[in-house]
Amino acid sequence: MQQVFVKFNNAEQVRSFVNMIGTLDANFDMGSGRRMVDAKSLLGIFALDLTQPQKLSCNSDDASVMEKITPYLYTERLV
C-alpha cells in the first residue's frame, strides 16, 4: 500500500484526477482524520475539505500508478 498527499487547486483538477484514476486497476481511498472516501468518486472527493491536503491511499505497488498521480501530489512540507 502506498500513501501520499494530494491537493487540488480547482474543480477541473478534481474532475481530471477522478477520470484518470478511474482507468486504473487499483483501489484508492482519500481523506483526512476519520473521514475517508472512495477516491474514484467525484461526489465523495467534493465532500472533503479541499482547502487542505488529503491523504491518498492506493493498494497498488505499481510505480506507473504513482507516475500518473504525480501532477496532483502535495510536495510542500506539512506543518
Side-chain angles (χ1 to χ4, degrees):
M1 177 175 282
Q2 300 180 51
Q3 293 185 344
V4 294
F5 282 89
V6 294
K7 180 133 175 37
F8 305 104
N9 296 323
N10 54 48
E12 180 60 29
Q13 277 189 333
V14 176
R15 187 192 61 77
S16 173
F17 174 79
V18 170
N19 287 341
M20 185 272 304
I21 66 167
T23 65
L24 302 175
D25 188 29
N27 291 327
F28 294 88
D29 293 314
M30 181 184 294
S32 61
R34 295 183 352 194
R35 176 174 271 185
M36 296 298 285
V37 299
D38 180 357
K40 291 184 178 183
S41 166
L42 188 61
L43 290 176
I45 292 177
F46 279 122
L48 300 172
D49 178 8
L50 297 180
T51 63
Q52 300 297 318
Q54 300 294 317
K55 185 186 297 183
L56 177 69
S57 301
C58 173
N59 73 342
S60 174
D61 291 326
D62 186 355
S64 68
V65 170
M66 285 296 120
E67 288 177 20
K68 290 181 180 179
I69 65 170
T70 298
Y72 308 99
L73 294 180
Y74 183 72
T75 55
E76 295 179 28
R77 185 180 177 118
L78 293 174
V79 179

